[in-house]
Amino acid sequence: MVSSRGNSISNQLLPFLGFLPVFFFHVLVLVHSFQISASVFFPTTQASFASLSEVTNETAANGREANALVKWKHSLDNQSQALLSSWSNGSTTPCNWVGILCNYSNSVTHINLGNFGLRGTFNSLNFSSFPNLNTINVSTNSFYGNIPHQMGELRKLQILDLASNKFYGSLPKSIGNLSRLSYLALAYNNLSGSIPSEIFQLTSLLDAQLQNSGFSGSIPREVGILRNLLTLNLEDCKLTGSIPTTIGNMTNFVYLNLASNQLSDYIPREIGNLTNLLFLSLANNQLSGYIPQEIGMLGNIQRIYMGNNSLSGFIPKEIGMLRNLSELDLSENYIYDRIPGTIGNLSNLYAIFLYANNLSGSIPEEVGKLSKLSFLQLLSNNLTGPIPVSIGNLTELLSGELSSKWAQCSNLTSLKVSNNNLSGSIPPEIGEATKLVELYLSSNHLSGEIPKELGRLVLLNELQISDNRLSGKVSSKFGLLEDLTLLDLAANNLSGSIPKQLGGLIKLLHLNLSKNQFEQSIPSEIGHMIFLRTLDLAGNSLIGRIPSSLGQMQRLETLNLSHNNLSGSLPSTFDGLLSLTSVDISYNHLEGSLPNIVAFHNATIEALRNNNGLCGNISDLVACPKIISHHPQSRRRKNVTLIVLFPILGTLIAMFLLFGISYMLYRSARKTENHHLEEPIQNLFAVWSYDGKIVYENIVEATEEFDSKYCIGVGGCGSVYKAELPTGQVVAVKKLHLETDGGMSSILKSFTAEIRALTEIRHRNIVKLFGFCSHPQHSLLVYEHLEGGSLDKILKSVEKAIALDWDRRINIVKGVANALYYMHHNCSPPIIHRDISSKNILLNLDYEAHISDFGMTKILNPNSSNLTLFAGTFGYSAPELAYTMKVNEKCDVYSYGVLTLEVVLGQHPGDLISSLFSPSSSSVCSTARNLLLKYVLDQRLSHSNMFNC
Ligand SMILES: *[C@@H]1O[C@H](CO)[C@@H](O)[C@H](O)[C@H]1NC(C)=O
Ligand SMILES: *[C@@H]1O[C@H](CO)[C@@H](O)[C@H](O)[C@H]1NC(C)=O
Ligand SMILES: *[C@@H]1O[C@H](CO)[C@@H](O)[C@H](O)[C@H]1NC(C)=O
Ligand SMILES: *[C@@H]1O[C@H](CO)[C@@H](O)[C@H](O)[C@H]1NC(C)=O
Ligand SMILES: *[C@@H]1O[C@H](CO)[C@@H](O)[C@H](O)[C@H]1NC(C)=O
């Protein structure tokens, strides 16, 4: 269906559309395997449920079953009846109807309507017409009402799956007559009352899925009668009272989940009898007392979750006997004493969470034996002593070949030990744990230097070492940690200069170097971190000027440079810090005028005090002399007198550039002034397509002066409001975050041409830009308003994502492709959007995609180099763009590919892209790459429905 539009699809889009046939191939494989499994399933059920006596009276029985089903169908809503169109009076046997299976004597054995999109009640289904029914599966539909009493007549029923519907009321007592029932799922319904005692008559029951079903009350003692039960899930059921000791009678249990209730009292020792248990969760309750040492008898257990209770006492050393344990979570309790060294026996341990307890003593050296350990989280305890060397490198504990292999392939990805009393130095061996993604060592008493070996942890995302006693210099090797998003070295005794290599941390969002003794000037390379949101360099001994490159950090929200010895004026580039909301430059030697941005307009005197001569319109600050900015002469004098050491040649070049820029700004300001004079439109008020002034007033009125209740979104360069004009037309108004001081700001001027071009675009998959107006107070873009909202919001909401079925998703992908083709190939010069992401795809009520937000748009000028500052949304931009900064159509195509994957997966593909396409597969530590498509497809949609596309 895509290729029929072949002509209109650019060559560049083809690789991504090529993905679609692969996609459908997988769908076919999926469906095919489903059919095979169904045909394997048939004979067994047929064999077991057809007996000779049932063959008699065959046709009469068929007729009764068919009639009962048709009658029930007619009680469902219209859409459901359409879905069951094969259920018709015309045929006497229902055996080939959708969702129905029969035995040899053509009597119905299975009603399989899971995830069909049905809506209605069970009141009209005559259960007595189905003497041979084995399975009812109506899970994941919208059935409501009471579960009917007559269900108790289905004496042969083995599987009853009513999960994920809207059934209410209590469970009928007759359920106790389903003596063959082995599988009962009532999960995710709105049932009420306590767990009915009749359930305990179901002695054949193997698997009870009752989580989130609405039941409350206590767990009845009778639960112990269900000796055959293998699985009991009562998670999130508002259960109160204690766990009955009779639970110990259920020795067949393999899975017991009582998490997220309000259970109190002790954990019964009898739990130790459940020797077949693989999974035990008691998390998020109010359990108290000790962890029974009998837990050591759960020899098969793989996962234990007891987090967020009120447990006290110590961790029983018997825990070391659980050789199959892979996850242990005892976090958020009051557990004290040492971590038993016997955890070193848990050779299968993958994750251990003991944070937020009162554990003391040192971290046992034995953790180094846990070669499969990936998560070690011990935050917020009273642990003392050093970080064991064995954490990173086992050469001292293991011998020979094995040890060197381990050193290359430590599996640790998360080591969090912040907020303890750990002392000693950071062992350089941590540098061997090369899979580390999170390393938290903050708030301890660690001393010595930060080992440069940490520079080997190239996968590191978050590094927190703040609030320790670390000293010495920061190694330039830190600049190699290219995946870092958070670097916090605050509140130590670090000294020396800030390494300029940190500028290479291009993904960094938060950088905190405050409260140290860093000296010399701020390296201008810091300004390369263009995604940075927080920069805190307060409380150091930094000198010199603030580098103008900091003005490039367009996403910076918080900037703290206070309590240093910085001097000179604030760079004029700070006018570009449009996202900045919080700033503190107090206690320096700064002078001159404040940048003309919101953060400084709103700054309090506390954030500016104790400088040498700042001026501006803030109270308590002297007003600036009339002409202060762009004044090359005064700057030059300051430069020469203040920074004597600055090389004279460099100064001259800087002056030349400054003068040049000022001159150009001056020239262009003159030009637009002339331009305005020629036009009859008012000087400060540029409008197209509309009588601007009236529209502007209407918009201000309709949004009650941009009241937040009309705000429907906030983006990088502005907030979007919904406004209903007096004509009845609803438009979306984007108010740009541009403060204008009586005229179009220079940034807007440079966009004027682009905006003008966009008003001329007309395409069904592009949001219409009606016009633009610049007013002394607000600059506004007026767009077509789309009721459906943005694609990213829809994909995040479970309900809306389900409504966005495969058909609609394909249409969205096609719509975006058409719009991009139009922009790249039918517009001259081509228009590059530069920020294609799910946030910027809006849908109308028919789920038709519209590209919006042309804030970053670039018109390709064939004569210029098209080099630019980085723009776009992180995670959607082509990797090469980050270093080449070259804009062409390929940027949009890459983002389109990411978007397409997001539509198919239901979420941003994240690391999937790099793991699919990365060439470094030979690494010993490489992760599993053979992902099956069915596991990554949006799980909220039925995959069999993909046929409809
Ligand atoms: C019921 O049907 C749903 C949807 O087809 C399926 O996922 C589920 O496994 C079925 N339940 C049982 C017990 O087989
Ligand atoms: C359940 O079985 C009992 C005894 O066999 C019977 O009295 C009762 O009517 C049955 N209930 C239903 C709903 O079939
Ligand atoms: C269940 O266990 C309790 C003690 O744990 C015991 O007294 C009782 O006899 C057991 N019940 C059954 C039915 O075996
Ligand atoms: C657990 O390890 C300790 C040494 O740490 C050893 O003495 C003990 O025998 C081990 N226990 C089991 C059950 O293997
Ligand atoms: C941990 O350190 C804090 C502050 O230095 C101290 O008050 C506390 O007593 C220490 N706790 C232990 C268990 O050493």
Side-chain angles (χ1 to χ4, degrees):
M1 82 265 107
V2 170
S3 53
S4 68
R5 282 182 177 269
N7 293 341
S8 70
I9 282 162
S10 87
N11 287 338
Q12 294 160 25
L13 297 183
L14 276 174
F16 288 104
L17 295 171
F19 167 76
L20 292 173
V22 179
F23 175 77
F24 290 111
F25 170 75
H26 281 270
V27 176
L28 283 175
V29 171
L30 256 179
V31 171
H32 190 62
S33 63
F34 178 79
Q35 284 170 344
I36 290 172
S37 68
S39 65
V40 170
F41 188 58
F42 266 122
T44 57
T45 55
Q46 284 164 351
S48 53
F49 296 106
S51 72
L52 272 180
S53 62
E54 282 156 359
V55 179
T56 60
N57 244 343
E58 196 176 300
T59 43
N62 285 168
R64 249 201 338 271
E65 289 172 341
N67 284 341
L69 288 172
V70 168
K71 183 174 165 225
W72 180 51
K73 168 187 149 179
H74 285 143
S75 78
L76 304 179
D77 78 357
N78 287 340
Q79 199 195 337
S80 309
Q81 295 191 30
L83 291 167
L84 301 178
S85 55
S86 63
W87 292 23
S88 69
N89 275 329
S91 61
T92 49
T93 167
C95 297
N96 50 9
W97 293 358
V98 62
I100 303 295
L101 300 181
C102 296
N103 60 13
Y104 279 130
S105 54
N106 289 334
S107 176
V108 175
T109 56
H110 290 64
I111 299 181
N112 277 332
L113 299 173
N115 204 353
F116 261 58
L118 303 176
R119 197 184 144 76
T121 71
F122 264 71
N123 298 341
S124 315
L125 186 57
N126 185 0
F127 290 98
S128 58
S129 309
F130 302 94
N132 295 311
L133 203 55
N134 165 272
T135 294
I136 298 181
N137 184 353
V138 295
S139 73
T140 323
N141 284 293
S142 299
F143 286 109
Y144 57 95
N146 287 297
I147 298 174
H149 174 75
Q150 288 78 11
M151 239 177 214
E153 293 163 16
L154 300 170
R155 300 297 169 105
K156 291 190 180 168
L157 201 64
Q158 293 192 325
I159 294 176
L160 179 57
D161 190 348
L162 307 180
S164 301
N165 280 288
K166 293 169 179 152
F167 287 109
Y168 49 73
S170 52
L171 198 63
K173 290 192 184 316
S174 63
I175 206 94
N177 285 1
L178 301 178
S179 56
R180 291 198 194 172
L181 202 63
S182 65
Y183 181 92
L184 173 64
L186 304 173
Y188 303 102
N189 278 294
N190 300 325
L191 301 172
S192 51
S194 50
I195 301 171
S197 59
E198 287 74 16
I199 281 195
F200 305 107
Q201 298 168 28
L202 303 176
T203 47
S204 306
L205 204 56
L206 301 177
D207 189 345
Q209 300 289 335
L210 307 179
Q211 69 273 26
N212 232 306
S213 50
F215 287 133
S216 54
S218 58
I219 305 175
R221 285 191 62 79
E222 293 84 352
V223 76
I225 298 170
L226 298 176
R227 289 161 164 275
N228 295 321
L229 203 57
L230 301 175
T231 298
L232 176 61
N233 192 343
L234 286 171
E235 186 174 350
D236 212 347
C237 279
K238 301 177 221 124
L239 298 174
T240 53
S242 55
I243 302 173
T245 54
T246 50
I247 207 128
N249 292 7
M250 307 171 71
T251 47
N252 284 329
F253 258 156
V254 294
Y255 179 103
L256 176 60
N257 189 347
L258 304 177
S260 301
N261 285 293
Q262 290 143 35
L263 298 170
S264 53
D265 233 330
Y266 298 87
I267 300 175
R269 306 175 161 274
E270 287 78 0
I271 212 141
N273 297 348
L274 308 181
T275 50
N276 290 313
L277 215 50
L278 300 178
F279 179 105
L280 172 66
S281 180
L282 307 175
N284 305 322
N285 279 292
Q286 290 146 24
L287 297 167
S288 56
Y290 293 4
I291 299 171
Q293 66 185 53
E294 285 79 359
I295 203 149
M297 292 155 64
L298 305 178
N300 289 310
I301 195 126
Q302 292 171 355
R303 293 162 189 222
I304 297 181
Y305 303 104
M306 297 187 178
N308 195 11
N309 279 290
S310 302
L311 298 170
S312 57
F314 47 85
I315 302 176
K317 64 177 189 311
E318 288 78 3
I319 209 131
M321 291 154 70
L322 307 180
R323 300 201 155 254
N324 292 311
L325 196 62
S326 86
E327 285 182 39
L328 175 65
D329 184 356
L330 305 177
S331 61
E332 298 182 85
N333 280 294
Y334 302 101
I335 298 170
Y336 51 78
D337 215 339
R338 302 177 152 262
I339 302 172
T342 53
I343 63 165
N345 291 4
L346 303 177
S347 53
N348 283 306
L349 206 58
Y350 170 79
I352 178 160
F353 303 104
L354 302 177
Y355 55 87
N357 277 294
N358 297 328
L359 292 166
S360 55
S362 52
I363 302 175
E365 192 75 22
E366 287 85 347
V367 295
K369 291 196 222 163
L370 304 174
S371 59
K372 294 192 181 159
L373 198 63
S374 181
F375 292 83
L376 177 60
Q377 302 195 351
L378 310 175
L379 306 87
S380 302
N381 280 290
N382 296 325
L383 297 170
T384 53
I387 299 173
V389 170
S390 60
I391 271 180
N393 183 348
L394 285 188
T395 34
E396 285 157 43
L397 293 167
L398 298 175
S399 58
E401 196 190 347
L402 198 59
S403 66
S404 55
K405 225 177 207 169
W406 152 245
Q408 283 168 24
C409 204
S410 158
N411 282 308
L412 208 56
T413 60
S414 172
L415 173 60
K416 298 188 179 179
V417 294
S418 299
N419 243 323
N420 279 291
N421 279 0
L422 298 172
S423 54
S425 54
I426 301 175
E429 288 81 357
I430 285 191
E432 306 290 342
T434 49
K435 284 192 182 170
L436 270 177
V437 173
E438 299 171 314
L439 178 58
Y440 288 15
L441 307 174
S442 294
S443 301
N444 281 294
H445 306 318
L446 299 170
S447 54
E449 299 205 359
I450 303 177
K452 62 177 187 309
E453 285 79 0
L454 295 194
R456 292 195 209 150
L457 304 178
V458 289
L459 299 180
L460 215 51
N461 252 296
E462 299 192 355
L463 178 57
Q464 294 192 7
I465 324 185
S466 62
D467 194 16
N468 277 295
R469 295 167 186 165
L470 298 163
S471 55
K473 295 186 173 173
V474 173
S475 160
S476 61
K477 294 252 164 48
F478 273 52
L480 302 172
L481 304 178
E482 285 181 6
D483 278 347
L484 222 48
T485 59
L486 170 76
L487 177 59
D488 187 354
L489 307 179
N492 281 293
N493 297 324
L494 299 168
S495 55
S497 56
I498 298 174
K500 64 173 193 286
Q501 287 82 354
L502 290 190
L505 304 180
I506 195 128
K507 295 182 186 165
L508 209 60
L509 303 177
H510 305 282
L511 175 61
N512 192 346
L513 304 178
S514 66
K515 298 187 200 149
N516 280 292
Q517 285 145 32
F518 287 114
E519 46 208 19
Q520 301 186 19
S521 52
I522 303 174
S524 67
E525 287 81 359
I526 294 286
H528 297 169
M529 303 190 223
I530 49 177
F531 293 116
L532 208 62
R533 297 208 202 118
T534 321
L535 177 59
D536 192 346
L537 304 177
N540 282 292
S541 308
L542 298 167
I543 58 166
R545 290 174 162 268
I546 300 171
S548 61
S549 62
L550 296 197
Q552 293 167 15
M553 301 195 289
Q554 296 193 0
R555 304 189 182 202
L556 201 63
E557 290 162 11
T558 305
L559 174 64
N560 192 345
L561 301 175
S562 67
H563 296 272
N564 278 294
N565 296 319
L566 299 167
S567 56
S569 52
L570 292 164
S572 58
T573 53
F574 271 29
D575 285 351
L577 296 178
L578 299 176
S579 304
L580 201 62
T581 52
S582 160
V583 66
D584 190 347
I585 54 170
S586 61
Y587 296 91
N588 279 293
H589 310 297
L590 298 165
E591 58 192 19
S593 63
L594 296 179
N596 189 17
I597 49 174
V598 189
F600 281 95
H601 295 172
N602 296 341
T604 61
I605 188 67
E606 278 72 28
L608 306 171
R609 73 183 344 153
N610 287 63
N611 274 294
N612 281 11
L614 289 173
C615 63
N617 293 338
I618 315 275
S619 58
D620 299 336
L621 218 57
V622 287
C624 293
K626 267 287 169 276
I627 305 157
I628 188 104
S629 55
H630 311 309
H631 204 291
Q633 269 76 26
S634 67
R635 284 234 175 138
R636 181 198 281 169
R637 223 174 291 132
K638 275 174 209 155
N639 283 344
V640 173
T641 52
L642 283 176
I643 308 177
V644 184
L645 298 175
F646 200 77
I648 292 173
L649 192 60
T651 318
L652 285 176
I653 291 171
M655 286 310 97
F656 183 73
L657 283 176
L658 244 172
F659 186 82
I661 291 167
S662 317
Y663 183 63
M664 274 161 57
L665 283 173
Y666 175 67
R667 278 265 306 257
S668 60
R670 278 286 290 270
K671 249 192 207 158
T672 39
E673 254 171 51
N674 292 342
H675 179 73
H676 283 298
L677 284 179
E678 285 156 23
E679 282 186 11
I681 300 174
Q682 269 198 338
N683 193 9
L684 310 174
F685 213 85
V687 172
W688 303 292
S689 323
Y690 269 108
D691 180 352
K693 196 165 178 112
I694 294 173
V695 173
Y696 176 77
E697 278 160 11
N698 286 340
I699 288 170
V700 172
E701 202 175 307
T703 57
E704 299 178 28
E705 295 207 35
F706 303 103
D707 192 296
S708 56
K709 71 181 169 203
Y710 297 97
C711 187
I712 52 176
V714 181
C717 32
S719 308
V720 184
Y721 298 84
K722 179 178 171 182
E724 185 173 350
L725 302 178
T727 55
Q729 188 182 10
V730 178
V731 294
V733 179
K734 174 176 255 198
K735 182 157 75 83
L736 299 175
H737 289 321
L738 298 168
E739 291 300 311
T740 54
D741 49 342
M744 283 158 84
S745 88
S746 57
I747 296 174
L748 263 184
K749 266 181 234 158
S750 68
F751 276 122
T752 305
E754 277 93 335
I755 293 170
R756 196 183 281 274
L758 289 172
T759 52
E760 281 152 22
I761 289 191
R762 285 288 179 266
H763 189 277
R764 59 181 295 184
N765 296 111
I766 297 177
V767 173
K768 284 182 195 63
L769 178 65
F770 291 132
F772 162 73
C773 52
S774 173
H775 185 269
Q777 269 143 19
H778 312 289
S779 293
L780 306 178
L781 290 164
V782 185
Y783 287 103
E784 172 188 17
H785 178 254
L786 294 171
E787 295 286 346
S790 69
L791 181 59
D792 85 305
K793 283 201 181 137
I794 290 177
L795 288 178
K796 276 184 192 137
S797 142
V798 177
E799 228 166 83
K800 290 183 182 168
I802 290 173
L804 196 65
D805 58 25
W806 292 118
D807 265 337
R808 287 170 173 160
R809 290 186 191 209
I810 292 293
N811 273 332
I812 287 171
V813 170
K814 285 199 301 196
V816 176
N818 284 333
L820 284 179
Y821 178 81
Y822 174 83
M823 286 160 59
H824 292 171
H825 299 277
N826 289 354
C827 293
S828 178
I831 296 173
I832 310 300
H833 186 281
R834 300 210 297 165
D835 196 10
I836 296 291
S837 76
S838 58
K839 271 196 188 125
N840 291 338
I841 306 299
L842 303 182
L843 304 186
N844 63 12
L845 289 176
D846 297 328
Y847 296 92
E848 219 175 341
H850 293 68
I851 299 183
S852 81
D853 205 338
F854 286 81
M856 302 288 184
T857 299
K858 186 94 186 157
I859 310 282
L860 271 199
N861 179 348
N863 301 326
S864 87
S865 69
N866 293 317
L867 287 184
T868 175
L869 263 181
F870 184 83
T873 300
F874 187 52
Y876 291 88
S877 29
E880 67 271 19
L881 190 62
Y883 22 96
T884 64
M885 301 294 174
K886 190 159 166 40
V887 175
N888 57 31
E889 295 92 335
K890 291 175 186 166
C891 318
D892 282 351
V893 177
Y894 183 93
S895 309
Y896 169 77
V898 178
L899 179 85
T900 306
L901 279 172
E902 182 174 357
V903 168
V904 173
L905 309 186
Q907 59 185 23
H908 188 276
D911 297 339
L912 186 67
I913 300 182
S914 46
S915 66
L916 283 180
F917 302 116
S918 113
S920 65
S921 55
S922 56
S923 134
V924 196
C925 316
S926 88
T927 47
R929 298 162 81 227
N930 301 330
L931 274 178
L932 283 179
L933 183 79
K934 65 176 174 180
Y935 293 127
V936 295
L937 287 180
D938 193 341
Q939 299 296 323
R940 297 167 295 193
L941 292 191
S942 154
H943 300 157
S944 51
N945 279 5
M946 279 194 296
F947 253 166
N948 302 344
C949 313

